[in-house]
Amino acid sequence: MIVVKCIGIKNTPRLWTFGVISNKKIILMLHYPPFDKEGREYENIKKVVEQYDIYACVYGHLHGKSKNYATEGYVNGTEFKLVSCDCVGFKPIKI
């Protein structure tokens, strides 16, 4: 059984929501990147990742040349992945 929960994260530059909570792993789904252009994780996102022991974080919003600012890979045990459609070749990806 999969339970989906969406929340707003306060005190962020934009509204952030996340969801898809399964009985074993939590995947954080964001529209905006969780990192700034210098690769620093937004503090409120970092708190959520730590509090909920996030397994993976997928995010979009970056397209074209802006994808060069994406932070991907593992950070403190959580996998971060840019999944904007043009960045993944308009194909599903395995998380």
Side-chain angles (χ1 to χ4, degrees):
M1 177 177 172
I2 294 177
V3 177
V4 175
K5 177 180 181 182
C6 292
I7 66 168
I9 302 172
K10 295 179 183 177
N11 300 320
T12 56
R14 304 174 182 93
L15 176 65
W16 305 84
T17 58
F18 82 91
V20 185
I21 299 178
S22 72
N23 59 349
K24 295 186 179 185
K25 297 177 181 175
I26 300 175
I27 299 171
L28 177 59
M29 300 165 52
L30 304 170
H31 175 79
Y32 295 99
F35 300 91
D36 64 18
K37 287 183 178 181
E38 286 77 38
R40 295 179 301 235
E41 190 173 10
Y42 289 111
E43 232 7 80
N44 288 347
I45 300 300
K46 184 177 182 179
K47 288 178 185 177
V48 168
V49 168
E50 292 171 355
Q51 178 181 350
Y52 289 95
D53 192 26
I54 301 297
Y55 168 74
C57 175
V58 295
Y59 63 94
H61 188 71
L62 301 178
H63 301 280
K65 292 180 182 180
S66 67
K67 70 181 179 185
N68 295 329
Y69 297 111
T71 296
E72 294 190 276
Y74 285 88
V75 177
N76 297 324
T78 299
E79 182 180 14
F80 290 87
K81 183 73 178 158
L82 173 63
V83 295
S84 298
C85 58
D86 55 328
C87 295
V88 296
F90 296 89
K91 296 178 183 176
I93 62 162
K94 186 175 182 176
I95 300 172

